[in-house]
Amino acid sequence: MKKCSKCKVEKELACFHKDKSQPGGYRYDCRSCVNIRRNKHRESNNDEYKKRDREYKKKNKEKIATRNKEYHYKKHYGISYSEFLALKESQNNCCAICKKDSDTVNGGLVLDHNHETGAVRGALCGRCNKGIGLLADSPNNLLEAFKYLNTKGHYGE
């Protein structure tokens, strides 16, 4: 337990940021008081922060985009963005189903994965990915759709 020097409330050590330079190894003010102080400072200097944010985003567009992609692929699929790029490369940058080149499909290739297990299956164009999703990722449904199109008629190839 430690008493915050700002709010004067005794709190658990987990309520304080660690700080090796302070006696006891924790900051003198609790996390809540630190957040209040930071928010007040940010509100009073909001225009300055917005300007700084805009300048940073303008200078670092590519870096931010890559970081966002890295975060997205790690969080949702458990792979890095570079692993996704390698997967696309292993498929010659073509959809694993329709074999269309990623440059010719709207939106490029997306990562296909099993929703139950989370296992990555391949890179697909948006149409193929939506198609198998709408057929509930079921080989039986896909086979029935194939039979239906063969007997009722189809267009394309």
Side-chain angles (χ1 to χ4, degrees):
M1 297 292 280
K2 180 178 172 111
K3 189 174 189 176
C4 175
S5 66
K6 298 290 182 188
C7 66
K8 310 294 186 211
V9 176
E10 194 161 319
K11 299 180 178 185
E12 296 286 328
L13 285 178
C15 296
F16 294 84
H17 290 286
K18 288 185 178 182
D19 186 348
K20 291 179 185 177
S21 68
Q22 296 294 322
Y26 290 91
R27 283 186 58 98
Y28 55 89
D29 50 353
C30 67
R31 291 175 188 260
S32 299
C33 291
V34 168
N35 289 339
I36 290 168
R37 189 178 73 248
R38 284 182 183 157
N39 289 339
K40 282 182 182 176
H41 182 268
R42 186 155 185 114
E43 284 173 17
S44 64
N45 297 292
N46 198 19
D47 292 338
E48 182 184 328
Y49 278 101
K50 282 183 179 177
K51 181 181 176 190
R52 197 179 313 155
D53 287 347
R54 278 193 305 271
E55 289 171 359
Y56 177 82
K57 287 176 183 177
K58 196 181 288 184
K59 287 180 187 174
N60 298 289
K61 267 185 183 175
E62 191 65 35
K63 179 181 176 182
I64 292 168
T66 302
R67 188 176 59 216
N68 290 345
K69 288 175 185 172
E70 280 293 338
Y71 173 79
H72 174 78
Y73 283 92
K74 273 287 185 213
K75 180 182 179 196
H76 295 285
Y77 310 112
I79 66 169
S80 68
Y81 181 61
S82 56
E83 288 174 304
F84 171 64
L85 295 177
L87 175 65
K88 283 177 31 175
E89 185 70 31
S90 73
Q91 294 178 194
N92 297 320
N93 288 315
C94 295
C95 173
I97 295 174
C98 70
K99 307 299 185 209
K100 287 185 181 170
D101 189 88
S102 65
D103 295 333
T104 63
V105 296
N106 210 4
L109 298 180
V110 297
L111 191 68
D112 176 46
H113 68 288
N114 183 314
H115 286 259
E116 287 183 15
T117 66
V120 172
R121 295 189 287 213
L124 303 177
C125 70
R127 279 187 165 189
C128 291
N129 191 42
K130 287 176 190 147
I132 64 172
L134 291 171
L135 290 169
D137 289 6
S138 166
N140 290 335
N141 290 350
L142 188 59
L143 185 58
E144 291 303 316
F146 175 78
K147 290 176 189 175
Y148 175 82
L149 287 174
N150 270 340
T151 58
K152 303 290 184 179
H154 59 88
Y155 65 92
E157 299 166 17

